[in-house]
Amino acid sequence: MHNDMTVKIVSKNFDIKDSHKLEVALKHGRYSSLKKQFSMSPQEVTEEVYESGLRGKGGGGANTGSKWRLMPREHEKPAYLVVNADESEPGTFKDRQILEYDPHLLIEGMINSSYAIGANHAYIYIRGEYVFWAKRMQEAIDEAYEAGYLGEKVAGYDYTLDITLHRGAGAYICGEKTALLESLEGKRGHPRLKPKQQETEWFFGGPTVVNNVETIASVPFIIKEGFTAYRKYGTHCSPGTMLFGLSGHIQNPGVYELPFGCSMKEVIEKVGGGILNGKKLKALIPGGSSCAILRADEIDNITLDYESVAKNGSSLGTGGMIFLDEDTSIPDAMKNLFEFYHHESCGQCTPCREGTGWVDKIMGKILSGDGTMADYDKILDACKMLNGKTICVFAPSVAYIAESYISKFKDEFYALLKD
Amino acid sequence: MSEFKFSQENEDKFNELLKRYPEKASLSLPSLWMIQYQIGWISPESMVFLAKRLDTSPIDIQSIASFYTMFNLKPIGTYHIQVCKTLSCNLRGSKIITQHVQNRLGIKVGETTKDMKFTLSEVECLGSCGTAPMISFNHDYEENLTIEKVDKLIDEAQNA
């Protein structure tokens, strides 16, 4: 186990000129995992990924191999792989780097993964706003078809795979895997009720795996080098690397691939170049806006892995870190996020549809100087109403973050109240 | 009420896409995109048309189209300026950008200029947090924005 901050698994080709073109991609190792993959059985590929401990990079962090293991080996309707490229969690802008600089890595990973789960058709659901990236991805898919890496007899082997790119149209909730599948089935993006026991997802009645772009892009390395090579990086429970996004008040914003387990403070200083304009850090949101906020004095011992961030009261989420400097008003930031959540609530469950709006309104009242202690308490009440009473995790996470803002920065909220 | 039908290109695309999904219901989003690219918005006539093609009712198509923010249910300006307003952009000055565009074009957020050239919207996170502030200018991402860059974009569009 080591934390070499220069290791590159997913972003290895990002700096190469024209890395998105097949000709260049082939020179730099793309599709080289296929030979080994086709020498293995689908079960063996699944087990290799399971043993690697690869965790989903879309925010949940579930073990990827465990998800694949749930796929039934015999099924009436065809199986599908769906890649979630509906990246829209505020603070998250990592998958677009893969789509832009190494789309063939994603296609290669999709071949590995589809083969493992027994799918012959895979979809990429990309957010509607990513027009440039959809075009780039489609060009790569076209190139791959032409060169025989997609379609019948993938790379000459006895296996068929089609990939279809499907564009969303501006709904945050479609990043939730079941809402995504509803949307892919042509409906409003409403999350589905989850079964009690763990099982696969379903697309038109066919067993389906939904994985994030970065997760799938990590698979070729694991197949080619073996799971022990992947486990060399990161920590025991969070193996490998992740694309971390730095944004907000940071000197060098951007996306950086780092092994799990790096010290958060070190990353801020060495990778991020410190807080913007030499100011002091007030707070940070560690993994996209749906994670609890952390005060600057809470981050000293945090390392960037799921366990450490969770132990310190937040979650690693998508790895999209948003930094807030000493001059930032936390109530302002919270209001900003509640406008987001109110707008993006899909409207299916009443507590979420109404509750997010209430908190947004109360925050507006407090910020305008008309708020009272009763309003502050009302936010806490609304949080209780939001938590545990809805179909998906949108509302519970909104409640969880609201509580973190108002409890950790009480003084700032109190200062705005009338009495 | 003028009839709507797909252009020949979209007709071909539609038939091509039919082969790529287990059921044709999946074609609602791709078809709405084709309609919007063809006429600039999702008109009531186009929804009636699409409902027939997908064996469903117009109200079903309306329900789908109105769920997704990016489908315009009324005509908008030739140039759609969408300022990202969510946290990372907000921290890096998105409000200044919105204010400037409002002053420059004499319209408020959500409005279209009288000559139907520009529509201004504020939108939620566009996934460009590391290059904030940013706008989507007719779906092209313009990142690391300054007032000068915004002015240049508007100037170019006005002279086009």
Side-chain angles (χ1 to χ4, degrees), chain A residues 336-349:
Chain A
N336 180 284
L337 290 178
F338 268 81
E339 286 171 12
F340 172 83
Y341 288 113
H342 183 209
H343 183 262
E344 299 298 346
S345 171
C346 82
Q348 189 177 202
C349 309

PDB file of all heavy atoms in Angstrom, chain A residues 336-349:
ATOM      1  N   ASN A 336     -27.984  29.083  -1.669  1.00  0.00           N
ATOM      2  CA  ASN A 336     -27.650  28.756  -3.051  1.00  0.00           C
ATOM      3  C   ASN A 336     -27.937  27.281  -3.337  1.00  0.00           C
ATOM      4  O   ASN A 336     -28.554  26.928  -4.346  1.00  0.00           O
ATOM      5  CB  ASN A 336     -26.170  29.069  -3.310  1.00  0.00           C
ATOM      6  CG  ASN A 336     -25.743  28.766  -4.727  1.00  0.00           C
ATOM      7  OD1 ASN A 336     -25.555  27.617  -5.098  1.00  0.00           O
ATOM      8  ND2 ASN A 336     -25.642  29.791  -5.547  1.00  0.00           N
ATOM      9  N   LEU A 337     -27.518  26.410  -2.415  1.00  0.00           N
ATOM     10  CA  LEU A 337     -27.727  24.977  -2.640  1.00  0.00           C
ATOM     11  C   LEU A 337     -29.201  24.603  -2.545  1.00  0.00           C
ATOM     12  O   LEU A 337     -29.664  23.708  -3.243  1.00  0.00           O
ATOM     13  CB  LEU A 337     -26.892  24.157  -1.671  1.00  0.00           C
ATOM     14  CG  LEU A 337     -25.382  24.209  -1.945  1.00  0.00           C
ATOM     15  CD1 LEU A 337     -24.624  23.402  -0.916  1.00  0.00           C
ATOM     16  CD2 LEU A 337     -25.055  23.700  -3.353  1.00  0.00           C
ATOM     17  N   PHE A 338     -29.943  25.302  -1.686  1.00  0.00           N
ATOM     18  CA  PHE A 338     -31.366  24.965  -1.592  1.00  0.00           C
ATOM     19  C   PHE A 338     -32.160  25.422  -2.801  1.00  0.00           C
ATOM     20  O   PHE A 338     -33.165  24.812  -3.154  1.00  0.00           O
ATOM     21  CB  PHE A 338     -31.967  25.426  -0.262  1.00  0.00           C
ATOM     22  CG  PHE A 338     -31.879  24.324   0.731  1.00  0.00           C
ATOM     23  CD1 PHE A 338     -30.704  24.097   1.409  1.00  0.00           C
ATOM     24  CD2 PHE A 338     -32.922  23.417   0.890  1.00  0.00           C
ATOM     25  CE1 PHE A 338     -30.569  23.014   2.257  1.00  0.00           C
ATOM     26  CE2 PHE A 338     -32.804  22.336   1.742  1.00  0.00           C
ATOM     27  CZ  PHE A 338     -31.625  22.137   2.432  1.00  0.00           C
ATOM     28  N   GLU A 339     -31.699  26.472  -3.450  1.00  0.00           N
ATOM     29  CA  GLU A 339     -32.327  26.830  -4.734  1.00  0.00           C
ATOM     30  C   GLU A 339     -32.115  25.670  -5.702  1.00  0.00           C
ATOM     31  O   GLU A 339     -33.017  25.272  -6.437  1.00  0.00           O
ATOM     32  CB  GLU A 339     -31.705  28.116  -5.289  1.00  0.00           C
ATOM     33  CG  GLU A 339     -32.151  29.362  -4.542  1.00  0.00           C
ATOM     34  CD  GLU A 339     -31.378  30.604  -4.955  1.00  0.00           C
ATOM     35  OE1 GLU A 339     -30.650  30.564  -5.960  1.00  0.00           O
ATOM     36  OE2 GLU A 339     -31.497  31.616  -4.242  1.00  0.00           O
ATOM     37  N   PHE A 340     -30.902  25.133  -5.664  1.00  0.00           N
ATOM     38  CA  PHE A 340     -30.587  23.989  -6.522  1.00  0.00           C
ATOM     39  C   PHE A 340     -31.496  22.802  -6.206  1.00  0.00           C
ATOM     40  O   PHE A 340     -32.160  22.257  -7.085  1.00  0.00           O
ATOM     41  CB  PHE A 340     -29.105  23.598  -6.343  1.00  0.00           C
ATOM     42  CG  PHE A 340     -28.725  22.316  -7.026  1.00  0.00           C
ATOM     43  CD1 PHE A 340     -28.398  22.298  -8.371  1.00  0.00           C
ATOM     44  CD2 PHE A 340     -28.704  21.115  -6.326  1.00  0.00           C
ATOM     45  CE1 PHE A 340     -28.065  21.115  -9.007  1.00  0.00           C
ATOM     46  CE2 PHE A 340     -28.380  19.924  -6.955  1.00  0.00           C
ATOM     47  CZ  PHE A 340     -28.052  19.925  -8.296  1.00  0.00           C
ATOM     48  N   TYR A 341     -31.556  22.425  -4.921  1.00  0.00           N
ATOM     49  CA  TYR A 341     -32.332  21.236  -4.572  1.00  0.00           C
ATOM     50  C   TYR A 341     -33.833  21.421  -4.816  1.00  0.00           C
ATOM     51  O   TYR A 341     -34.525  20.490  -5.200  1.00  0.00           O
ATOM     52  CB  TYR A 341     -32.051  20.811  -3.124  1.00  0.00           C
ATOM     53  CG  TYR A 341     -30.682  20.208  -2.984  1.00  0.00           C
ATOM     54  CD1 TYR A 341     -29.677  20.846  -2.261  1.00  0.00           C
ATOM     55  CD2 TYR A 341     -30.367  19.010  -3.632  1.00  0.00           C
ATOM     56  CE1 TYR A 341     -28.402  20.298  -2.176  1.00  0.00           C
ATOM     57  CE2 TYR A 341     -29.100  18.471  -3.554  1.00  0.00           C
ATOM     58  CZ  TYR A 341     -28.127  19.114  -2.824  1.00  0.00           C
ATOM     59  OH  TYR A 341     -26.871  18.571  -2.760  1.00  0.00           O
ATOM     60  N   HIS A 342     -34.309  22.623  -4.580  1.00  0.00           N
ATOM     61  CA  HIS A 342     -35.719  22.882  -4.835  1.00  0.00           C
ATOM     62  C   HIS A 342     -36.020  22.732  -6.327  1.00  0.00           C
ATOM     63  O   HIS A 342     -36.999  22.122  -6.732  1.00  0.00           O
ATOM     64  CB  HIS A 342     -36.093  24.287  -4.343  1.00  0.00           C
ATOM     65  CG  HIS A 342     -37.554  24.590  -4.504  1.00  0.00           C
ATOM     66  ND1 HIS A 342     -38.038  25.858  -4.705  1.00  0.00           N
ATOM     67  CD2 HIS A 342     -38.635  23.792  -4.515  1.00  0.00           C
ATOM     68  CE1 HIS A 342     -39.350  25.802  -4.824  1.00  0.00           C
ATOM     69  NE2 HIS A 342     -39.738  24.571  -4.716  1.00  0.00           N
ATOM     70  N   HIS A 343     -35.134  23.285  -7.138  1.00  0.00           N
ATOM     71  CA  HIS A 343     -35.323  23.193  -8.585  1.00  0.00           C
ATOM     72  C   HIS A 343     -35.230  21.758  -9.076  1.00  0.00           C
ATOM     73  O   HIS A 343     -35.955  21.343  -9.974  1.00  0.00           O
ATOM     74  CB  HIS A 343     -34.267  24.048  -9.299  1.00  0.00           C
ATOM     75  CG  HIS A 343     -34.411  24.077 -10.796  1.00  0.00           C
ATOM     76  ND1 HIS A 343     -33.661  23.261 -11.617  1.00  0.00           N
ATOM     77  CD2 HIS A 343     -35.226  24.775 -11.593  1.00  0.00           C
ATOM     78  CE1 HIS A 343     -34.019  23.479 -12.874  1.00  0.00           C
ATOM     79  NE2 HIS A 343     -34.963  24.387 -12.895  1.00  0.00           N
ATOM     80  N   GLU A 344     -34.327  20.984  -8.469  1.00  0.00           N
ATOM     81  CA  GLU A 344     -34.042  19.651  -8.990  1.00  0.00           C
ATOM     82  C   GLU A 344     -34.866  18.526  -8.360  1.00  0.00           C
ATOM     83  O   GLU A 344     -34.789  17.394  -8.814  1.00  0.00           O
ATOM     84  CB  GLU A 344     -32.551  19.337  -8.867  1.00  0.00           C
ATOM     85  CG  GLU A 344     -31.641  20.293  -9.641  1.00  0.00           C
ATOM     86  CD  GLU A 344     -31.883  20.253 -11.149  1.00  0.00           C
ATOM     87  OE1 GLU A 344     -32.545  19.318 -11.625  1.00  0.00           O
ATOM     88  OE2 GLU A 344     -31.410  21.176 -11.846  1.00  0.00           O
ATOM     89  N   SER A 345     -35.618  18.816  -7.301  1.00  0.00           N
ATOM     90  CA  SER A 345     -36.487  17.776  -6.751  1.00  0.00           C
ATOM     91  C   SER A 345     -37.424  17.318  -7.870  1.00  0.00           C
ATOM     92  O   SER A 345     -38.017  18.149  -8.561  1.00  0.00           O
ATOM     93  CB  SER A 345     -37.303  18.333  -5.587  1.00  0.00           C
ATOM     94  OG  SER A 345     -38.291  17.387  -5.209  1.00  0.00           O
ATOM     95  N   CYS A 346     -37.558  15.998  -8.061  1.00  0.00           N
ATOM     96  CA  CYS A 346     -38.308  15.534  -9.232  1.00  0.00           C
ATOM     97  C   CYS A 346     -39.809  15.733  -9.054  1.00  0.00           C
ATOM     98  O   CYS A 346     -40.572  15.661 -10.006  1.00  0.00           O
ATOM     99  CB  CYS A 346     -37.988  14.074  -9.536  1.00  0.00           C
ATOM    100  SG  CYS A 346     -38.895  12.890  -8.531  1.00  0.00           S
ATOM    101  N   GLY A 347     -40.239  15.967  -7.800  1.00  0.00           N
ATOM    102  CA  GLY A 347     -41.650  16.277  -7.572  1.00  0.00           C
ATOM    103  C   GLY A 347     -42.522  15.084  -7.291  1.00  0.00           C
ATOM    104  O   GLY A 347     -43.718  15.215  -7.058  1.00  0.00           O
ATOM    105  N   GLN A 348     -41.913  13.895  -7.290  1.00  0.00           N
ATOM    106  CA  GLN A 348     -42.708  12.687  -7.106  1.00  0.00           C
ATOM    107  C   GLN A 348     -43.239  12.574  -5.669  1.00  0.00           C
ATOM    108  O   GLN A 348     -44.390  12.229  -5.457  1.00  0.00           O
ATOM    109  CB  GLN A 348     -41.839  11.465  -7.465  1.00  0.00           C
ATOM    110  CG  GLN A 348     -42.618  10.187  -7.529  1.00  0.00           C
ATOM    111  CD  GLN A 348     -41.763   8.984  -7.951  1.00  0.00           C
ATOM    112  OE1 GLN A 348     -42.304   8.019  -8.415  1.00  0.00           O
ATOM    113  NE2 GLN A 348     -40.467   9.042  -7.814  1.00  0.00           N
ATOM    114  N   CYS A 349     -42.380  12.853  -4.675  1.00  0.00           N
ATOM    115  CA  CYS A 349     -42.788  12.726  -3.274  1.00  0.00           C
ATOM    116  C   CYS A 349     -43.050  14.105  -2.674  1.00  0.00           C
ATOM    117  O   CYS A 349     -42.211  14.997  -2.753  1.00  0.00           O
ATOM    118  CB  CYS A 349     -41.707  12.028  -2.451  1.00  0.00           C
ATOM    119  SG  CYS A 349     -41.128  10.491  -3.169  1.00  0.00           S
TER     120      CYS A 349
END
